[in-house]
Amino acid sequence: MERREEQPGAAGAGAAPALDFTVENVEKALHQLYYDPNIENKNLAQKWLMQAQVSPQAWHFSWQLLQPDKVPEIQYFGASALHIKISRYWSDIPTDQYESLKAQLFTQITRFASGSKIVLTRLCVALASLALSMMPDAWPCAVADMVRLFQAEDSPVDGQGRCLALLELLTVLPEEFQTSRLPQYRKGLVRTSLAVECGAVFPLLEQLLQQPSSPSCVRQKVLKCFSSWVQLEVPLQDCEALIQAAFAALQDSELFDSSVEAIVNAISQPDAQRYVNTLLKLIPLVLGLQEQLRQAVQNGDMETSHGICRIAVALGENHSRALLDQVEHWQSFLALVNMIMFCTGIPGHYPVNETTSSLTLTFWYTLQDDILSFEAEKQAVYQQVYRPVYFQLVDVLLHKAQFPSDEEYGFWSSDEKEQFRIYRVDISDTLMYVYEMLGAELLSNLYDKLGRLLTSSEEPYSWQHTEALLYGFQSIAETIDVNYSDVVPGLIGLIPRISISNVQLADTVMFTIGNPELSVSSVSTLKKICRECKYDLPPYAANIVAVSQDVLMKQIHKTSQCMWLMQALGFLLSALQVEEILKNLHSLISPYIQQLEKLAEEIPNPSNKLAIVHILGLLSNLFTTLDISHHEDDHEGPELRKLPVPQGPNPVVVVLQQVFQLIQKVLSKWLNDAQVVEAVCAIFEKSVKTLLDDFAPMVPQLCEMLGRMYSTIPQASALDLTRQLVHIFAHEPAHFPPIEALFLLVTSVTLTLFQQGPRDHPDIVDSFMQLLAQALKRKPDLFLCERLDVKAVFQCAVLALKFPEAPTVKASCGFFTELLPRCGEVESVGKVVQEDGRMLLIAVLEAIGGQASRSLMDCFADILFALNKHCFSLLSMWIKEALQPPGFPSARLSPEQKDTFSQQILRERVNKRRVKEMVKEFTLLCRGLHGTDYTADY
């Protein structure tokens, strides 16, 4: 493909001319992109290079850029350009040039087998794209040919290099197929062809995985390759030998993660349930992991226990019906169920000491549904077997729902407390579901337990145990008419025996019996009633709204209770018809809108500021709970499912659109006041969280308003709201343009803030880092934009790691742990890590050496782990260089201690917990605290 087109003009000074796509000009533009400090020049270079990649001249300069004397960044661009030309402009290539193009790609891949990894991957993707375009007619045995060519002994590359290159090519081939732009009819043909080609791949993978001489890097690549191929829905019986080999590889800590991924992907194929004999063979293999699971739990190895649990749940959850059908094997399936029960009851408090138990909850729903779907006779048999299991499950779940000690709970972060709250809601939903199987006997069982606990004189009971049992009652009571339960009178009789010594216990007691006299206030009781009974309240809605409105206008309650009252009204209005909601909303908020209009005209002063913040707060709290969707309310009763989906715009959106201009007017006068800006952002943030997709009509105008706000006076609350929009709407093609524009604008403004000196704005830096992490997690495409200066973002994040404020540092670490895994998939990220990753490593080592709080060491360990996992070759070079200077990162360290630390880190690429332990040990050495009393609580 060495065709050359006519090219106008010669290159002038500065940026390359618009159409002169020569090798020299491409290199100049790449140098400008990477090294020119001027943002505008970088953007021009990026735009020009994108044009170059799709130009006819790309066929010529791509090969030139791959020459051995070029640096990897330039070679990478050449390989990427080839992939773009092959994948998007296949029809431009004459058929008589297919073979020469194929041969050239093979030659380049062979050469890069011992060269740059990122360039090798892009070349493999290019060849994979070519193969998919030629299969099956023009290249009928593509995969077999690849295997044969790379196994040729006459290659100048060593055997291991060739093997890894072949595995990389075989791994990216199914991945490229999944994302390819092939027409639908071609996709079917190519899928069939690839399914046949499995016969050339799997025997090779089995051989490499099972032979003792295969190095760890090869075996890991084999597992990833297998994981990639099974997603083409390969028959499970054809995967049997490789699945067994993957199970064996679970004993190797370096291969553990890759083995888990491969096994779970293979088991979870939709088609796998057809192969019952293979599934039955897998049960003993899963049960054989129980000792490894127990050891992991005993040693606090969360990664291993999590991985084994994923395998057990994948088999049980995806195939419970197929395995229950094999009645003669009921005992082995019961053993698998008991193993999953062990995972549900894994020791420790979620999410602080364990994160595994939550994976299992859906399995219990699936198993129950499958048992209850059998005909009466078979169902009766399985009920006899599994009712005791489900009673045990209730005990386990109530134990897991228990709060930790007050002292321990006090150390939990707000995020951890919120995750635990959601976890308890999931447990509550599971208990509610289990009642269908266990019936009234479950209530009696809980009543007996509570009675024994409260009347026993032998040992004092913990409030946590009492609260959990009451929580169980409360969960089940939501599904049944407790008036017909003979347990309830006894329960009410036990309540006075409870010694209420804790706010969580008091809350659960009040919520269980619903007695207003025990409530902290009438407002909190009304809020709970409106939340739990909203579908019974429409006949009384007008009265409740009228009384509440009167109370609010008279300002009887404190601010916080006014906010609760608005939340109560939001729950109440949610159950009404849309027209009724709009009518009530009009009467409820019109007085406040009129008041806000007057305040917007006044000159800003402290008293009218308080009034503005109060009104905005009332609106925020109303919109927090006003949700007309019924997607989460099916358990309330079958009548809800009959309600029609509301037509037309959401009432909250209608109100927001009506007051949008007024809010902008208020903002124009109060833009300098963080409290008012925060209150405005809160209205939209809470509305977005509640409405989700229904908020869509507001996205463009809100993005525009946020952009203007942030450009004028940057505030953290505007970034937090931007983060919410990215989280919910960035993946929607229709909303991506305004969100991308907003993301680029706030990034540009924040980067300017960094140039002016960001130390006075740790809250903005914190929110900015969280926004960047969310963008990478939710929509990495935001980092593909040519106008985003990824290098400047990276450097600012490194700077933020050195802030004294712990939340800011934690957020910056979170950004890097999201960024580093994308080195391979996002070109700009890969480049900046290659160029500036050493700077990041030095900042991390400085922090570990004593510049950051010891409480943040786990966060810095996460960065080291991510660097090691995703940039191993670079880290192995950087860490030795960085630790070379005497006295760095601490004068207390000997060269031997630094060398030991670097070797330990580089060896551990699988177990994050071990890396955290190494970092904690090393930071104590750096601070001169190792072996002292300070270590005890660390």
Side-chain angles (χ1 to χ4, degrees):
M1 301 299 300
E2 300 243 348
R3 239 174 357 181
R4 290 203 62 174
E5 310 289 330
E6 286 298 311
Q7 299 172 21
L19 296 173
D20 200 1
F21 300 126
T22 63
V23 176
E24 296 75 17
N25 283 344
V26 170
E27 289 196 49
K28 279 182 195 172
L30 284 166
H31 190 275
Q32 189 169 300
L33 179 68
Y34 294 141
Y35 304 112
D36 193 319
N38 184 300
I39 302 290
E40 199 174 324
N41 287 348
K42 281 178 180 288
N43 292 338
L44 282 170
Q46 175 85 334
K47 192 172 180 181
W48 187 88
L49 285 165
M50 287 175 75
Q51 290 178 299
Q53 278 189 314
V54 299
S55 70
Q57 294 93 320
W59 285 120
H60 173 69
F61 68 65
S62 295
W63 303 109
Q64 299 297 314
L65 296 177
L66 289 167
Q67 293 302 315
D69 59 335
K70 308 293 183 192
V71 294
E73 294 95 322
I74 288 174
Q75 294 170 332
Y76 182 89
F77 182 81
S80 293
L82 281 172
H83 173 239
I84 286 169
K85 294 298 286 183
I86 292 167
S87 60
R88 297 189 197 170
Y89 302 98
W90 177 252
S91 58
D92 294 350
I93 305 171
T95 51
D96 62 352
Q97 295 198 24
Y98 288 176
E99 290 303 320
S100 65
L101 179 55
K102 186 204 303 183
Q104 281 178 289
L105 283 169
F106 269 121
T107 303
Q108 292 293 344
I109 290 171
T110 304
R111 190 162 63 75
F112 277 93
S114 52
S116 168
K117 170 74 172 63
I118 58 170
V119 181
L120 172 66
T121 300
R122 294 315 292 167
L123 287 168
C124 288
V125 172
L127 181 56
S129 185
L130 177 131
L132 295 172
S133 297
M134 291 177 69
M135 292 168 72
D137 300 331
W139 195 0
C141 301
V143 179
D145 286 353
M146 291 173 188
V147 173
R148 182 176 49 75
L149 280 162
F150 278 96
Q151 286 180 324
E153 294 296 332
D154 56 353
S155 170
V157 182
D158 67 278
Q160 184 174 315
R162 275 184 287 126
C163 182
L164 288 170
L166 172 60
L167 290 170
E168 182 68 22
L169 179 56
L170 294 177
T171 303
V172 301
L173 186 61
E175 292 168 359
E176 182 69 6
F177 172 75
Q178 305 285 12
T179 58
S180 67
R181 304 181 178 201
L182 294 172
Q184 205 54 45
Y185 80 96
R186 287 268 306 130
K187 258 202 156 161
L189 286 171
V190 174
R191 182 187 287 279
T192 305
S193 185
L194 285 171
V196 173
E197 295 267 34
C198 270
V201 178
F202 281 16
L204 171 69
L205 299 184
E206 287 167 30
Q207 180 191 346
L208 290 170
L209 201 52
Q210 289 167 351
Q211 66 187 24
S213 60
S214 288
S216 184
C217 58
V218 168
R219 298 169 76 200
Q220 192 161 58
K221 201 71 201 156
V222 166
L223 289 163
K224 285 181 179 172
C225 184
F226 173 48
S227 195
S228 179
W229 276 81
V230 292
Q231 292 179 61
L232 293 173
E233 295 175 23
V234 180
L236 191 65
Q237 62 191 21
D238 295 350
C239 306
E240 210 173 294
L242 275 168
I243 293 174
Q244 289 180 351
F247 268 97
L250 287 168
Q251 303 304 316
D252 185 330
S253 62
E254 287 190 25
L255 303 178
F256 184 83
D257 282 355
S258 303
S259 302
V260 169
E261 216 55 51
I263 294 166
V264 168
N265 283 343
I267 292 174
S268 304
Q269 293 177 68
D271 200 39
Q273 59 192 10
R274 290 172 47 207
Y275 304 96
V276 177
N277 289 335
T278 304
L279 291 173
L280 288 169
K281 289 178 191 174
L282 294 179
I283 294 179
L285 293 175
V286 177
L287 296 177
L289 301 173
Q290 288 180 99
E291 185 52 38
Q292 189 179 358
L293 174 62
R294 286 194 189 91
Q295 286 293 322
V297 171
Q298 197 174 327
N299 298 332
D301 183 351
M302 286 165 67
E303 282 81 10
T304 300
S305 54
H306 198 83
I308 293 174
C309 175
R310 279 184 66 201
I311 293 170
V313 169
L315 183 57
E317 194 175 304
N318 287 294
H319 307 298
S320 66
R321 176 68 197 226
L323 293 168
L324 284 167
D325 270 329
Q326 311 306 306
V327 180
E328 67 277 17
H329 295 281
W330 69 272
Q331 286 173 307
S332 64
F333 184 62
L334 179 60
L336 176 66
V337 171
N338 285 327
M339 182 178 175
I340 295 173
M341 180 76 78
F342 177 83
C343 295
T344 306
I346 205 160
H349 288 287
Y350 181 95
V352 175
N353 315 113
E354 63 91 6
T355 54
T356 297
S357 58
S358 62
L359 296 177
T360 65
L361 298 180
T362 311
F363 164 75
W364 298 109
Y365 285 79
T366 307
L367 177 62
Q368 180 175 314
D369 283 347
D370 288 337
I371 290 169
L372 297 180
S373 69
F374 285 122
E375 70 280 1
E377 189 180 342
K378 199 171 188 179
Q379 188 183 133
V381 172
Y382 274 130
Q383 283 262 19
Q384 198 175 350
V385 174
Y386 282 100
R387 277 178 69 83
V389 172
Y390 272 85
F391 274 113
Q392 184 191 349
L393 174 65
V394 171
D395 290 343
V396 167
L397 290 176
L398 291 176
H399 181 73
K400 293 297 293 183
Q402 286 185 26
F403 280 88
S405 69
D406 294 338
E407 185 183 4
E408 188 182 339
Y409 193 63
F411 283 108
W412 284 20
S413 69
S414 56
D415 275 356
E416 288 164 343
K417 288 176 180 175
E418 176 61 8
Q419 284 182 58
F420 182 59
R421 185 193 69 76
I422 294 166
Y423 176 66
R424 277 172 50 102
V425 171
D426 292 341
I427 286 177
S428 174
D429 291 345
T430 309
L431 291 170
M432 202 188 300
Y433 207 75
V434 166
Y435 180 81
E436 187 185 346
M437 188 172 200
L438 301 182
E441 194 182 341
L442 174 55
L443 275 178
S444 302
N445 182 284
L446 290 177
Y447 171 68
D448 291 344
K449 281 186 168 64
L450 186 62
R452 284 197 300 273
L453 186 70
L454 295 177
T455 56
S456 170
S457 56
E458 292 176 14
E459 54 181 272
Y461 62 85
S462 70
W463 72 262
Q464 287 92 341
H465 197 170
T466 309
E467 190 277 337
L469 282 167
L470 284 173
Y471 187 68
F473 269 114
Q474 177 191 312
S475 304
I476 295 158
E478 291 182 15
T479 66
I480 61 167
D481 187 344
V482 291
N483 294 321
Y484 296 101
S485 170
D486 55 0
V487 167
V488 173
L491 172 63
I492 298 299
L494 287 173
I495 295 288
R497 291 177 172 272
I498 297 173
S499 170
I500 297 177
S501 57
N502 177 277
V503 75
Q504 283 96 354
L505 177 58
D507 187 61
T508 305
V509 169
M510 288 187 297
F511 201 37
T512 304
I513 65 173
N515 185 336
E517 290 174 10
L518 294 176
S519 174
V520 177
S521 72
S522 57
V523 176
S524 61
T525 303
L526 178 64
K527 181 181 162 185
K528 284 183 178 177
I529 291 169
C530 289
R531 182 176 65 200
E532 299 306 315
C533 312
K534 59 185 174 186
Y535 295 107
D536 300 315
L537 294 177
Y540 317 104
N543 287 341
I544 295 172
V545 171
V547 172
S548 301
Q549 196 169 349
D550 187 47
V551 165
L552 286 164
M553 295 313 289
K554 288 177 180 173
Q555 299 182 346
I556 292 170
H557 293 294
K558 292 178 182 176
T559 299
S560 60
Q561 289 170 339
C562 292
M563 301 305 160
W564 288 0
L565 189 49
M566 275 300 206
Q567 287 182 23
L569 294 174
F571 285 125
L572 175 72
L573 295 178
S574 300
L576 304 182
Q577 294 296 319
V578 172
E579 314 82 63
E580 286 295 307
I581 295 174
L582 286 167
K583 192 167 75 176
N584 279 285
L585 275 177
H586 180 73
S587 66
L588 179 61
I589 66 177
S590 285
Y592 294 111
I593 301 304
Q594 289 163 14
Q595 198 180 341
L596 196 59
E597 283 170 342
K598 286 180 189 171
L599 291 165
E601 299 295 339
E602 295 176 10
I603 296 167
N605 66 64
S607 65
N608 59 22
K609 171 189 163 177
L610 283 175
I612 288 170
V613 170
H614 181 75
I615 292 170
L616 295 174
L618 291 174
L619 293 175
S620 290
N621 281 276
L622 177 64
F623 297 157
T624 300
T625 53
L626 208 174
D627 183 8
I628 61 171
S629 63
H630 296 150
H631 49 82
E632 291 182 356
D633 294 316
D634 285 356
H635 65 267
E636 297 277 351
E639 69 281 357
L640 286 180
R641 289 190 282 274
K642 296 173 189 169
L643 288 175
V645 176
Q647 297 299 311
N650 189 290
V652 173
V653 174
V654 172
V655 173
L656 283 174
Q657 286 175 329
Q658 287 170 354
V659 300
F660 196 81
Q661 296 300 324
L662 175 58
I663 288 173
Q664 285 188 305
K665 190 173 181 181
V666 171
L667 262 181
S668 66
K669 288 196 175 179
W670 289 92
L671 208 49
N672 286 308
D673 191 290
Q675 213 177 339
V676 174
V677 171
E678 199 170 311
V680 168
C681 289
I683 288 181
F684 294 106
E685 187 173 2
K686 289 178 177 179
S687 303
V688 168
K689 281 182 179 174
T690 307
L691 300 181
L692 301 176
D693 292 340
D694 283 352
F695 189 85
M698 295 289 298
V699 170
Q701 61 198 111
L702 181 56
C703 286
E704 191 182 336
M705 185 185 88
L706 273 174
R708 283 203 304 273
M709 277 168 55
Y710 197 75
S711 300
T712 312
I713 308 276
Q715 306 255 19
S717 52
L719 289 174
D720 295 336
L721 179 50
T722 304
R723 186 174 85 245
Q724 281 296 330
L725 291 173
V726 167
H727 175 65
I728 294 167
F729 293 107
H731 67 288
E732 297 284 350
H735 301 305
F736 184 71
I739 286 174
E740 182 188 40
L742 174 61
F743 176 74
L744 293 170
L745 177 64
V746 298
T747 300
S748 173
V749 171
T750 313
L751 292 178
T752 306
L753 195 70
F754 266 91
Q755 289 171 358
Q756 295 164 354
R759 277 299 305 115
D760 296 333
H761 308 284
D763 57 334
I764 291 177
V765 177
D766 182 350
S767 295
F768 181 54
M769 291 300 138
Q770 290 187 54
L771 167 61
L772 294 171
Q774 183 67 263
L776 284 162
K777 188 184 295 185
R778 193 69 176 159
K779 190 69 176 174
D781 288 10
L782 287 165
F783 274 68
L784 295 174
C785 178
E786 60 188 59
R787 286 181 288 141
L788 182 70
D789 189 346
V790 179
K791 191 180 183 76
V793 166
F794 188 95
Q795 291 170 347
C796 290
V798 172
L799 186 62
L801 288 176
K802 302 177 184 183
F803 274 41
E805 292 82 6
T808 307
V809 177
K810 196 172 181 180
S812 308
C813 291
F815 162 67
F816 282 116
T817 54
E818 288 294 337
L819 181 92
L820 293 167
R822 288 175 171 74
C823 286
E825 65 190 71
V826 180
E827 183 180 344
S828 55
V829 171
K831 287 172 184 170
V832 79
V833 170
Q834 199 157 29
E835 290 168 20
D836 294 340
R838 190 174 182 278
M839 180 206 310
L840 168 63
L841 176 65
I842 288 170
V844 170
L845 291 172
E846 284 172 347
I848 296 169
Q851 287 192 11
S853 162
R854 279 165 54 206
S855 65
L856 293 165
M857 289 305 107
D858 280 359
C859 301
F860 287 107
D862 287 342
I863 297 179
L864 275 182
F865 183 76
L867 277 168
N868 202 25
K869 193 164 186 176
H870 303 285
C871 319
F872 176 73
S873 57
L874 293 169
L875 178 64
S876 55
M877 178 173 63
W878 292 335
I879 197 166
K880 285 168 187 165
E881 289 174 5
L883 291 173
Q884 201 80 40
F888 181 83
S890 165
R892 295 185 177 91
L893 296 173
S894 67
E896 292 75 24
Q897 287 169 324
K898 292 199 276 189
D899 192 46
T900 302
F901 175 67
S902 65
Q903 285 178 21
Q904 285 177 330
I905 291 291
L906 292 170
R907 268 201 303 269
E908 191 48 78
R909 300 177 66 192
V910 173
N911 194 322
K912 193 186 289 185
R913 182 181 59 84
R914 286 187 200 147
V915 173
K916 288 178 178 177
E917 286 169 1
M918 292 168 197
V919 168
K920 284 178 180 176
E921 187 87 4
F922 191 63
T923 198
L924 290 172
L925 286 170
C926 291
R927 297 163 200 257
L929 298 176
H930 195 267
T932 68
D933 291 342
Y934 286 101
T935 318
D937 299 324
Y938 192 42

